[in-house]
Amino acid sequence: MNWEDNVRRVVPYVAGEQPKEQNVIKLNTNECPYPPAPGVAEVLHGFDCDILRKYPDPDVSLLVRALARRHGLTDRQVFVGVGSDDVLAMSFLTFFNSGKPILFPDITYSFYDVWAELYRIPYQCQPLDDSFRIRKEDYFRENGGIVIANPNAPTGVAVPLSELEEIVRTNLDSVVIIDEAYVDFGGESCVPLIEKYDNLLVVQTFSKSRSMAGMRIGYAMGNERMIGYLNDVKFSFNSYTMSAVSIAAGAASAADETYFRDTVAKVVATRERVRGELDKLGFICTDAKTNFLFVSHRTIPAREIFEALKAEKIYVRFWDKPRISNCLRISIGTDEEMDRVLAFLEAYTGGRKDETHL
Ligand SMILES: *Cc1c(COP(=O)(O)O)cnc(C)c1O
């Protein structure tokens, strides 16, 4: 016997690279290219450091109230955590304890299987169809819980609300988690269904549409009993997950709906323009309703394009995994950044076309 026989071994999640070099165009982790709402900078510049002597509010009331108001919910229907990764991990621990397999798509956010492994939750991946769509019937079987990213990552494909409602309605005995990390960019939110179904938990984040990945704020919305159970688990291992700085900065962001909408609209406009241009260069794009595009080229392998972009200090995401190894996920940057990417790809794909005609 040896202590290493008793280690909880896990293969950790691998996030997109955070390059250390200068002058890169970073389109590999779906961050927002625009700054957070101006109120966030005001809060940070004026922050009274004496506040840091004391523990922060364990109930995160300021932020919970701001989010509840924005979504038309009560304070007791909102749970806030350190990024939606923290909220999702805690939700797996809280709700997926039946011993039956939980269900999620075969191509989706690659943290789901990591958490399932970490907590020893059995799971079964349900294959998306050839156009990367969920087949709702795959979720009409016995299970210990369901988690679906909508819109999905890395495909960008969104499921209509009516289909998700059918999945929630068919599974009243298990918790259905809808991960809405990208919903602000064009998906339909399940939040209106919370009043109707007490087995639905909807998770959102400040990392993408609110330009605050560095602040680590995520939240879950569901019925009061469900949120109560999440709080019980949180208060059983760390009552003070949200720093005083995060709470104040998050509340400032939540208070500025106009800035939020304008920022999202800019990203969506750039996405649609880039989609059109990529199409002309021989790329096939999914109907991504996200702040990224999921693309493959008609003739050039994804890995080659990935390497060529990297040599130009343009970072995008590539997975050497079954079914998606010829695809690239390209986050939407500023118009200037995307113009540089398009100019490079035009030269690169054009050059390749001539080569193949020789
Ligand atoms: C980015 C992302 C998250 C995690 O975001 P946080 O930064 O932890 O809030 C969760 N789910 C999906 C699908 C994501 O893409």
Side-chain angles (χ1 to χ4, degrees), residues 43-44 47 51-52 54-63 80-83 86 212 214-217 234 238-251:
V43 161
L44 295 180
F47 197 80
I51 291 171
L52 297 181
K54 293 188 258 167
Y55 282 103
D57 170 19
D59 299 316
V60 202
S61 311
L62 191 67
L63 190 44
V80 172
V82 189
D86 179 54
M212 291 175 77
M215 194 55 85
R216 312 306 300 129
I217 303 173
K234 168 190 148 169
N238 180 0
S239 304
Y240 306 107
T241 56
M242 302 303 293
S243 74
V245 177
S246 309
I247 298 171

Side-chain angles (χ1 to χ4, degrees), residues 263-276:
T263 306
V264 165
K266 274 199 285 187
V267 172
V268 169
T270 306
R271 178 188 75 203
E272 292 310 309
R273 181 176 73 84
V274 171
R275 192 203 303 275

Side-chain angles (χ1 to χ4, degrees), residues 32-41 70 185 206 208-212 252-267:
C32 183
Y34 303 108
V40 175
R70 176 172 187 270
F185 301 102
F206 279 46
K208 279 73 186 228
S209 54
R210 291 188 178 272
S211 315
M212 291 175 77
S253 170
D256 197 339
E257 191 66 21
T258 309
Y259 181 87
F260 166 76
R261 283 181 199 229
D262 289 350
T263 306
V264 165
K266 274 199 285 187
V267 172

Side-chain angles (χ1 to χ4, degrees), residues 83-126:
S84 53
D85 287 340
D86 179 54
V87 174
L88 287 162
M90 213 168 287
S91 305
F92 273 48
L93 181 63
T94 308
F95 299 115
F96 296 160
N97 295 294
S98 69
K100 292 180 208 162
I102 62 166
L103 310 178
F104 49 84
D106 62 338
I107 303 166
T108 190
Y109 190 38
S110 41
F111 231 134
Y112 301 153
D113 56 343
V114 173
W115 288 316
E117 297 277 353
L118 173 66
Y119 294 131
R120 313 280 191 261
I121 302 166
Y123 61 97
Q124 271 173 11
C125 296
Q126 306 302 308

Side-chain angles (χ1 to χ4, degrees), residues 17 21 305-316 344:
E17 209 176 328
E21 52 182 341
I305 304 174
F306 172 74
E307 298 294 349
L309 284 167
K310 197 166 170 182
E312 289 295 300
K313 296 196 195 179
I314 299 169
Y315 285 76
V316 302
F344 172 77

